Amino acid sequence: MIEIKDLHKSYKMGSNSLHVLKGINFTAEEGELVAIMGSSGSGKSTLLNILGMLDEADSGEYNLDGVPIKNLSETKAAKYRNKFLGFVFQSFNLINYKSAMENVALPLYYQKVGRKEREEKAIKYLEQVGLKEWAHHLPNELSGGQKQRVAIARAMAAEPKVLLADEPTGALDSKTSYEVMDLIQNINDQGNTILVVTHEEDIAHMCKRIIHLRDGVIVEDKKIKQVRASSYVQ
Amino acid sequence: MFDIERWQEIFDTLRKNKLRTFLTGLSVASGIFILVILLGFGQGMQNGIAHEFEQDASTSVWVWPGMTTKEFKGMNPGRRIQLRNDNFDFWSKANAEKIENESPRIFVRNVNVNYGNEALVYGIHGVQGDFQFIENAKMVDGRFINLLDHEGTAKVVVIGNKIRKDVFGHLESPLGEYIEFSGIPFKIIGVYKELREREEETLYIPLSTAQKVFNGGDRVNNLAYTLPPAENFDQAVAQAVAFKDELRQYLQQAHTVAPDDTGAIQVWSAMEEAKRYYSLTGNIKFFFWFVGICTIIAGVVGVSNIMLIVVKERTREIGVRKALGAKPWSIVGMILHEAIFVTAISGFLGLFFSMLLLELVGPYVEVDYIMNPSVNLNVAVATVLVLIFAGTVAGFFPAWRAANIQVINALRDE
Ligand SMILES: Nc1ncnc2c1ncn2[C@@H]1O[C@H](COP(=O)(O)OP(=O)(O)O)[C@@H](O)[C@H]1O
Ligand SMILES: [Mg+2]
C-alpha cells in the first residue's frame, strides 16, 4: 500500500540547512496499523506529511497504492489526497464556522457528492464516532475529544485507503485518548491502513507495529501484540 | 458560475461570517456612494454655472466709465469720465449692422416713491426699449418702454414682479395705477420678471424722462448692447472681443483717455466672461473627475486590501480544504466568486442609495452655482464594474498564491 525508498528531506533556514530525513526505507501493507515513534523533532511529522502529500520530499521514491508520487501537479495531488488519504491532526484543523456535520461533509463536497447525500453520509460517520447528537454544533462547542472524533469522522467520510494521524491524542487526556484509539482500532479492523504518529508508549502499543525514528533514519521496526483500547474504555 | 453547490457553499460561508461580509460590503458600498455623490456635485456645479449664464443675454457688452489714472494730452489724472447721449448715438450709427439691441442707461438709487399713502424706496433706471432684451427680462403683464415713450418723454413706468407682489398684491393687475416720485405721477404700463427676485426691484422709465426728471441733461451712466448671434461659440467670443475693443478705442478718443488707461472706461463682454466660466466649468469637471478617479483608486486599494486580509485570514482554512482534496482552482474560484458577489451586491447598493439621494435631494439644492446635481447612470454603473473588476484582479493574486503554497505551510499559518 505504502512504499518509500531512500527518502530525504531537509529544511533550509537561511544559509543553514537542517537535514531531517536521511534516507527512510519503509513499506506498509494494506490493513496495517503502524505507530511512528521518536523524540520530539526527530522528523515524525515531516515523514507523515510527505506520505500524506501535504509536503514534498527532496529525493527518494514514494509509491501509494502502486501510483508513483512524484512531481505531481497540484490538481493531481488534490485528487489523490481526496481519493486515497484521510488526515487527523493533533490540532484537529476543523473549520470553525462550519458545524460538525458540515466539517465531515466537506471532503465529499470535493468529491462532487450532492448536498443531500453528503449530509446523510456525514451523519452516518458522526454516528459511528458517537456524535450524532452533536451534528449541528460548531467546533468551539465541542470538547477536545469530541473535536478529534469529528476530525476522524471527516477523515473517514471520503473512504480513504490510508488514514494518517499525527499525534491524534496529543492534545487529549488519557481517557479520551483511549476512546480515540478505540475508534482508530475499529476503523483498522474494517481493513483500513492507518499510520499513527505518537510519542506515547501506551498509544503506540495499541497499534500492531512500531517504527522508531532517530536522527533521520528508522532505527527500529517491530511487530507487536496489539493492546485493545476497549479494555480501558467502559 | 452556475454551479449550485458552489453557490450554496458561498452563501454558507457568507452567512456564517457576517461581520467580515458586512465590513467588506460596507467599504465597497461607501466608496461607490462617495464617488457618485462627488460626481453628482461636479455635474451640479456645471449645471449651476451654465444656469447663471442663461440669466442675462450672453452676448451683452456693457460700458462702465470710471476715473482716469494717467496723464494724457495735457489732461490730469483723476478725471471722472462722463458718457453722454452723443457717444451712444455716434457709435450706434457707425456700427448699426454689428448691433442687435442697444440702450444707454441712467440709474438713480434709493428714490422715494409714493403709491397712495405708501412711501417706498426703489432704484430707478432710465432706459430705451431694447433694454428689456439686453437684461433678458420677461414681460408678465403689459409692455415694456418703447420708442414713442422715449421720444415723448412719457411719464410711464415698468415695475418688477417682486414690486407687484409686495405693493400691488391686492390688485388683479397694477396696470394703469399711478406711482409718484419727484412730485410727478407715473403710470404703470408693464410688469417684468427676471430669473432672480433680487433683480425685480427696479423701476424702468424712458431714458429721456429720467434725464429730465433727475436733471441728467444728456448724461448717461452706462451703454449696453447685445450682439447678433454668431455661428458658434468661438466666433461669438471673437466678435464680442473685436466689438468691445473698437468701442473702447472710440470712447477713449472721444474722452481723451490714454489707450492703456484701462480703468477709465471699462468695457465688459459677457461672452468673454462666459468663456472664462466655460473653461472654469471644464476645470471643475476635470477636478471632480480627478477626485472621482482618486476615490476609485482608493476604493480599488481598499478592496484589494480587504481581499488580502480575507485570504490571509483564511490561509489555514485553505490548507484544510486542500488537505481534504480541494483543487487550487476551486480555492481560487471560491474566493473570487465570494469577492465578486459581495462587491457586486454592495457596489450596486451603494450606487442605488447614492442615486436615490441625488434624485430626492438634487432638485431641491438651491445654492448659487450648484443646480440639480445628478450623475450619468452609465458612468456610475461603469465605476461599479471597475471596482468589481479591480476587486477580482486584486483578489486573484493572493488567492492564487494561497491556493498553490504547500499544504503544510498553509496549515502551519496562524
Ligand atoms: N517548515 C520547517 N522549516 C524549518 N524547520 C522545520 C520545519 N518543519 C519542521 N522543521 C524542523 O524539522 C525537525 C523535525 O520536525 P518534525 O517533523 O515536526 O518533528 P516531530 O514531529 O518528530 O516532532 C525539527 O527540528 C523541526 O524544527
Ligand atoms: Mg510532530
Side-chain angles (χ1 to χ4, degrees):
Chain A
M1 179 59 63
I2 287 176
E3 203 181 347
I4 51 175
K5 274 194 203 130
D6 200 25
L7 199 76
H8 285 263
K9 174 75 180 178
S10 45
Y11 289 111
K12 295 207 172 36
M13 304 179 59
S15 53
N16 309 7
S17 104
L18 182 66
H19 204 170
V20 179
L21 300 181
K22 304 172 181 169
I24 305 274
N25 293 290
F26 167 73
T27 13
E29 301 303 328
E30 191 164 358
E32 280 202 86
L33 175 54
V34 185
I36 300 171
M37 293 199 70
S39 54
S40 176
S42 57
K44 306 182 295 288
S45 298
T46 305
L47 176 61
L48 201 75
N49 290 337
I50 291 171
L51 292 177
M53 298 169 66
L54 303 182
D55 205 351
E56 262 179 272
D58 297 335
S59 66
E61 270 177 44
Y62 174 22
N63 285 300
L64 176 61
D65 200 26
V67 182
I69 306 298
K70 185 126 206 173
N71 299 329
L72 293 180
S73 71
E74 267 300 318
T75 312
K76 263 258 165 63
K79 218 171 89 192
Y80 289 147
R81 268 180 226 128
N82 190 254
K83 213 165 81 179
F84 290 139
L85 301 163
F87 279 97
V88 177
F89 303 92
Q90 180 177 356
S91 52
F92 321 124
N93 277 331
L94 298 175
I95 293 177
N96 58 16
Y97 64 82
K98 285 180 178 288
S99 70
M101 181 190 73
E102 288 164 336
N103 265 289
V104 175
L106 198 56
L108 298 169
Y109 171 72
Y110 289 113
Q111 284 180 354
K112 306 238 176 301
V113 176
R115 191 182 186 84
K116 205 157 176 285
E117 198 187 334
R118 283 207 304 267
E119 294 184 352
E120 280 167 13
K121 273 199 168 172
I123 296 285
K124 193 183 94 188
Y125 281 99
L126 278 174
E127 194 169 12
Q128 280 184 20
V129 299
L131 287 176
K132 195 181 172 192
E133 293 75 42
W134 297 85
H136 298 290
H137 287 251
L138 290 177
N140 62 13
E141 296 163 345
L142 304 177
S143 70
Q146 287 173 322
K147 281 186 211 170
Q148 198 59 298
R149 273 145 66 194
V150 173
I152 291 171
R154 182 176 68 182
M156 295 313 298
E159 290 167 2
K161 298 211 155 89
V162 177
L163 182 66
L164 302 169
D166 192 353
E167 312 222 18
T169 61
L172 308 175
D173 61 37
S174 50
K175 184 170 171 289
T176 14
S177 294
Y178 296 147
E179 285 170 5
V180 166
M181 282 314 289
D182 184 35
L183 206 56
I184 287 176
Q185 286 176 340
N186 290 339
I187 294 166
N188 177 246
D189 291 343
Q190 290 160 27
N192 292 286
T193 314
I194 304 180
L195 271 61
V196 180
V197 164
T198 182
H199 58 263
E200 295 163 88
E201 281 291 337
D202 53 343
I203 299 297
H205 279 88
M206 290 174 182
C207 299
K208 296 171 174 168
R209 177 181 165 194
I210 299 179
I211 284 171
H212 262 276
L213 273 187
R214 189 178 303 143
D215 296 331
V217 288
I218 295 177
V219 291
E220 194 186 355
D221 184 347
K222 60 176 186 205
K223 291 236 155 62
I224 54 154
K225 188 172 174 302
Q226 188 182 34
V227 177
R228 292 304 292 195
S230 53
S231 60
Y232 295 93
V233 189
Q234 267 74 54
Chain B
M1 223 10 169
F2 300 103
D3 183 348
I4 181 90
E5 293 286 334
R6 167 100 137 255
W7 277 107
Q8 280 171 342
E9 178 71 14
I10 280 162
F11 281 133
D12 269 3
T13 309
L14 293 180
R15 200 172 49 238
K16 288 173 179 168
N17 294 279
K18 286 199 183 73
L19 186 65
R20 187 176 74 202
T21 307
F22 175 74
L23 290 178
T24 311
L26 187 69
S27 59
V28 172
S30 56
I32 291 285
F33 187 87
I34 291 168
L35 177 75
V36 170
I37 298 290
L38 266 176
L39 290 179
F41 271 85
Q43 185 64 47
M45 266 181 115
Q46 212 178 357
N47 294 347
I49 287 168
H51 181 70
E52 292 286 310
F53 271 90
E54 284 161 10
Q55 311 218 338
D56 298 320
S58 62
T59 59
S60 62
V61 174
W62 294 77
V63 179
W64 294 85
M67 199 120 66
T68 56
T69 56
K70 293 191 168 125
E71 196 189 313
F72 187 62
K73 293 189 176 167
M75 307 288 273
N76 284 332
R79 178 168 51 99
R80 184 162 286 286
I81 300 299
Q82 181 61 62
L83 299 175
R84 294 182 187 277
N85 287 350
D86 286 349
N87 298 136
F88 176 78
D89 294 339
F90 177 87
W91 183 253
S92 297
K93 227 168 260 150
N95 294 283
E97 79 287 355
K98 292 183 191 165
I99 298 168
E100 189 187 40
N101 295 299
E102 54 182 1
S103 169
R105 176 170 72 161
I106 182 165
F107 52 79
V108 186
R109 293 199 179 87
N110 303 327
V111 179
N112 293 313
V113 179
N114 296 312
Y115 170 62
N117 297 329
E118 279 182 82
L120 310 158
V121 176
Y122 287 116
I124 296 180
H125 291 197
V127 296
Q128 294 184 1
D130 278 0
F131 198 80
Q132 181 199 343
F133 306 109
I134 297 171
E135 190 65 8
N136 217 4
K138 305 266 178 308
M139 298 310 292
V140 289
D141 202 359
R143 63 172 180 87
F144 202 73
I145 289 154
N146 63 23
L147 196 61
L148 283 176
D149 299 330
H150 182 57
E151 285 171 347
T153 54
K155 290 166 189 63
V156 292
V157 61
V158 178
I159 65 171
N161 197 36
K162 179 151 195 315
I163 302 178
R164 186 193 63 124
K165 280 195 268 179
D166 291 350
V167 182
F168 303 95
H170 61 288
L171 295 177
E172 183 98 359
S173 163
L175 298 192
E177 294 292 303
Y178 282 87
I179 57 176
E180 195 186 295
F181 46 87
S182 297
I184 303 162
F186 280 77
K187 184 180 174 189
I188 297 174
I189 55 164
V191 179
Y192 68 89
K193 189 170 168 46
E194 291 257 10
L195 281 162
R196 280 175 297 210
E197 278 205 330
R198 61 182 144 87
E199 291 181 4
E200 291 177 357
E201 293 195 277
T202 298
L203 302 172
Y204 287 113
I205 62 174
L207 178 76
S208 56
T209 315
Q211 284 174 333
K212 205 172 234 168
V213 170
F214 299 110
N215 299 320
D218 63 346
R219 292 190 286 271
V220 297
N221 297 111
N222 286 146
L223 308 179
Y225 302 90
T226 65
L227 309 182
E231 200 111 308
N232 58 42
F233 186 71
D234 288 335
Q235 271 183 30
V237 173
Q239 170 188 305
V241 169
F243 182 85
K244 179 186 126 165
D245 288 343
E246 285 167 26
L247 176 56
R248 186 175 49 226
Q249 277 166 25
Y250 155 69
L251 290 172
Q252 280 171 339
Q253 264 170 10
H255 292 272
T256 330
V257 173
D260 58 347
D261 192 353
T262 47
I265 297 170
Q266 291 180 37
V267 186
W268 181 91
S269 145
M271 214 61 205
E272 234 182 339
E273 290 307 292
K275 191 177 157 152
R276 207 170 300 154
Y277 270 108
Y278 273 115
S279 54
L280 178 69
T281 49
N283 289 342
I284 288 172
K285 198 167 190 181
F286 174 79
F287 171 74
F288 273 93
W289 267 107
F290 176 75
V291 172
I293 285 170
C294 287
T295 315
I296 294 195
I297 291 173
V300 168
V301 171
V303 170
S304 315
N305 240 337
I306 292 165
M307 291 306 299
L308 222 63
I309 292 167
V310 165
V311 171
K312 181 90 192 75
E313 194 179 274
R314 298 182 71 177
T315 303
R316 199 184 168 92
E317 179 193 335
I318 290 171
V320 172
R321 284 173 182 271
K322 284 192 71 182
L324 298 179
K327 297 187 174 101
W329 274 112
S330 90
I331 300 282
V332 174
M334 173 184 79
I335 288 176
L336 292 188
H337 202 154
E338 254 184 63
I340 292 170
F341 183 72
V342 173
T343 344
I345 298 279
S346 48
F348 281 106
L349 273 181
L351 180 68
F352 175 76
F353 283 113
S354 51
M355 302 272 300
L356 192 72
L357 184 71
L358 285 180
E359 268 319 291
L360 292 181
V361 175
Y364 299 101
V365 173
E366 273 187 32
V367 186
D368 276 353
Y369 298 109
I370 294 183
M371 197 178 109
N372 193 16
S374 55
V375 78
N376 183 324
L377 185 65
N378 291 339
V379 171
V381 171
T383 42
V384 175
L385 294 181
V386 165
L387 225 59
I388 293 173
F389 179 73
T392 312
V393 172
F396 177 80
F397 292 100
W400 178 252
R401 217 186 42 220
N404 280 286
I405 55 174
Q406 206 55 263
V407 182
I408 193 64
N409 293 331
L411 285 175
R412 223 177 259 136
D413 188 88
E414 275 318 315

